[in-house]
Amino acid sequence: MSEKSQAFREFMVLLERAKKIIAAMYQKDEEENGGKKIWKPENINASDLEKVICSGIPINKMGNLKKMSASILAKHFSQKRFSRQRINNILNHKFPVERFDLITLEFFVISQEMADDDPYTRYRHFLEEIQEILARCEMGEIYIVNPYECFILMCLLTDCPLAVFSEIWEMSYEEGEEKN
């Protein structure tokens, strides 16, 4: 089996886990607001994934994520945003799955599934799982000197990894606007 097809398979497994988490989030919100809608993983699309995972990235008037060039992280994190366009292009086999896609999805899944765990336990679990996934895809191990991979690891060591991840993305655009 080629590493490309294995990476796609791993991507799909992580995507399904992420969809289950988001459906549960939406269901909880629905119930708290007295709604009757039932959210299931199959109701979750690329737009929902982008909205939750990229919640810190501002959107433009058209409802799209602001350009990466507006962020001070652009130089180090270019091509690392998990946008709905990227997700759809992967699903339609227009883009290959890259390591950062797997790392970002695994980060999201672990940050939510292990939200109540000790940060170090969560970090160790993430490392074990992502190293196995990357190995199966014949991709190198987590490379801590890569700025994006280091960023993900540091977020995992906080009490609220997804909130920190989102806040840093949000601040990177605020800083970027101040520079312009």
Side-chain angles (χ1 to χ4, degrees):
M1 176 190 324
S2 79
E3 59 265 7
K4 279 187 180 179
S5 58
Q6 182 62 38
F8 185 78
R9 245 191 296 300
E10 298 288 347
F11 178 83
M12 293 306 294
V13 168
L14 288 170
L15 199 65
E16 285 310 307
R17 286 172 70 189
K19 285 180 171 187
K20 284 181 185 164
I21 291 165
I22 294 170
M25 286 176 170
Y26 284 8
Q27 190 61 48
K28 186 176 177 209
D29 289 347
E30 186 77 19
E31 289 166 6
E32 286 174 3
N33 295 324
K36 303 267 188 265
K37 182 170 174 139
I38 304 294
W39 283 95
K40 295 181 178 166
E42 54 269 21
N43 302 130
I44 305 302
N45 59 32
S47 186
D48 296 307
L49 287 152
E50 175 188 87
K51 188 166 71 175
V52 174
I53 296 173
C54 299
S55 65
I57 300 174
I59 54 173
N60 63 23
K61 292 177 184 130
M62 302 297 289
N64 295 317
L65 297 178
K66 282 195 173 177
K67 290 187 183 329
M68 185 68 192
S69 59
S71 165
I72 61 167
L73 296 174
K75 179 180 168 193
H76 298 290
F77 290 10
S78 65
Q79 308 304 312
K80 305 289 189 284
R81 290 193 322 177
F82 202 67
S83 68
R84 65 181 184 265
Q85 293 89 345
R86 177 157 190 79
I87 296 164
N88 285 325
N89 281 327
I90 290 169
L91 294 175
N92 294 323
H93 301 281
K94 291 180 182 169
F95 288 175
V97 173
E98 295 188 18
R99 64 185 286 116
F100 84 85
D101 300 312
L102 298 171
I103 290 167
T104 303
L105 271 176
E106 176 72 5
F107 163 77
F108 172 72
V109 167
I110 296 301
S111 75
Q112 299 308 294
E113 287 180 352
M114 299 182 73
D116 297 330
D117 287 58
D118 165 68
Y120 187 72
T121 303
R122 186 174 44 235
Y123 173 88
R124 298 290 327 149
H125 186 79
F126 169 85
L127 273 179
E128 287 170 18
E129 274 197 15
I130 197 62
Q131 300 293 38
E132 289 173 11
I133 291 167
L134 293 172
R136 285 193 298 266
C137 298
E138 298 182 28
M139 296 178 180
E141 291 188 341
I142 284 288
Y143 188 54
I144 199 162
V145 296
N146 174 292
Y148 185 75
E149 295 178 30
C150 184
F151 167 60
I152 291 291
L153 295 174
M154 288 192 305
C155 288
L156 281 163
L157 286 167
T158 66
D159 290 333
C160 301
L162 188 61
V164 170
F165 177 86
S166 296
E167 286 171 27
I168 291 171
W169 272 110
E170 186 176 350
M171 285 189 285
S172 80
Y173 280 86
E174 291 167 2
E175 299 278 328
E177 286 172 12
E178 289 172 16
K179 277 186 162 182
N180 295 335

